[in-house]
Amino acid sequence: GDSVTQMEGPVTLSEEAFLTINCTYTATGYPSLFWYVQYPGEGLQLLLKATKADDKGSNKGFEATYRKETTSFHLEKGSVQVSDSAVYFCALSDPPKGNEKLTFGTGTRLTIIP
Amino acid sequence: DSGVTQTPKHLITATGQRVTLRCSPRSGDLSVYWYQQSLDQGLQFLIQYYNGEERAKGNILERFSAQQFPDLHSELNLSSLELGDSALYFCASSTPSEGARETQYFGPGTRLLVL
């Protein structure tokens, strides 16, 4: 079945550092890929998404590119802020099979220190 | 604010009891999904309803059931509760159509604690 493998956390970085959180996937179809973020004590918020190969999703300075050849969707940000501290989830859905559920990675906890 | 509402925000109950979690989707969304987030299992899909009909089932226990009403709100019923059912339960909504790649928008969750 479909699966998402995400970089193990926790990740601790200094403010203004460069961030990469790795995400790879396995899917039998042609999935859509997502990054969701969960701030402390809150629900999941969509951060960005990409629906086809070579698409780049971007939001709030975060970017991720859908790489079909490497089945990856790594999250990057050039300069992180303390407010970026949260848990980040990579996810996929494969709707053409009528299977619209999201399959999530295990989450990566990010802490940014001033 | 995603537009998805969930009640209650917190629920504390005892083993063996039954609870009902409620979700109201975003205006216009026909699909509702339920997910469970626990420390040991991560985020797991439970069940999806589309316009009142069950559409997909995931790792949902037989003690759990759900339904979607004509006004499109959904309820997740958890019965014969066990300690291991303690988790954060999320509802999400979207308006999927055949072949579409719709985004799911999540509610704030209901935190269930079974004592």
Side-chain angles (χ1 to χ4, degrees):
Chain A
D2 297 345
S3 67
V4 175
T5 301
Q6 212 177 311
M7 177 175 168
E8 289 283 335
V11 174
T12 303
L13 294 172
S14 297
E15 206 167 18
E16 299 183 4
F18 184 85
L19 168 71
T20 300
I21 301 178
N22 290 338
C23 171
T24 58
Y25 68 89
T26 302
T28 51
Y30 198 149
S32 293
L33 302 174
F34 305 83
W35 277 99
Y36 280 86
V37 58
Q38 185 175 28
Y39 296 102
E42 297 186 14
L44 291 163
Q45 297 177 25
L46 176 69
L47 183 58
L48 52 85
K49 72 174 188 180
T51 58
K52 60 183 190 295
D54 300 325
D55 264 4
K56 179 187 280 189
S58 61
N59 185 26
K60 299 182 182 180
F62 290 90
E63 292 182 340
T65 301
Y66 190 142
R67 300 285 188 206
K68 199 166 190 298
E69 64 277 12
T70 54
T71 62
S72 65
F73 193 55
H74 305 321
L75 183 69
E76 296 183 336
K77 186 174 185 182
S79 177
V80 292
Q81 306 300 313
V82 172
S83 57
D84 294 327
S85 299
V87 181
Y88 292 81
F89 292 92
C90 185
L92 69 81
S93 73
D94 207 352
K97 292 191 301 185
N99 192 12
E100 291 128 353
K101 72 180 174 82
L102 284 167
T103 298
F104 286 92
T106 52
T108 302
R109 182 175 300 276
L110 174 67
T111 301
I112 308 301
I113 52 178
Chain B
D1 185 354
S2 66
V4 179
T5 60
Q6 288 187 249
T7 56
K9 201 165 183 176
H10 301 278
L11 203 45
I12 302 174
T13 188
T15 53
Q17 295 299 305
R18 172 189 164 96
V19 297
T20 297
L21 313 184
R22 183 187 167 105
C23 168
S24 293
R26 292 187 321 156
S27 176
D29 283 355
L30 301 178
S31 242
V32 169
Y33 309 77
W34 287 97
Y35 293 86
Q36 180 194 59
Q37 185 180 30
S38 61
L39 282 174
D40 53 344
Q41 304 248 356
L43 264 163
Q44 302 256 327
F45 167 72
L46 296 179
I47 197 164
Q48 178 198 359
Y49 276 80
Y50 178 79
N51 204 20
E53 301 286 326
E54 182 184 302
R55 185 147 176 167
K57 233 173 183 176
N59 300 322
I60 188 165
L61 299 171
E62 282 193 17
R63 302 183 283 109
F64 295 0
S65 65
Q67 53 184 327
Q68 187 178 27
F69 295 86
D71 66 352
L72 301 177
H73 91 271
S74 177
E75 292 181 357
L76 179 67
N77 300 295
L78 315 177
S79 61
S80 303
L81 284 167
E82 302 175 359
L83 296 178
D85 298 327
S86 296
L88 193 48
Y89 291 85
F90 286 112
C91 167
S93 75
S94 73
T95 308
S97 56
E98 193 63 37
R101 297 172 181 275
E102 299 291 337
T103 298
Q104 291 181 30
Y105 292 90
F106 282 74
T110 293
R111 186 171 294 281
L112 173 67
L113 180 60
V114 182
L115 300 175

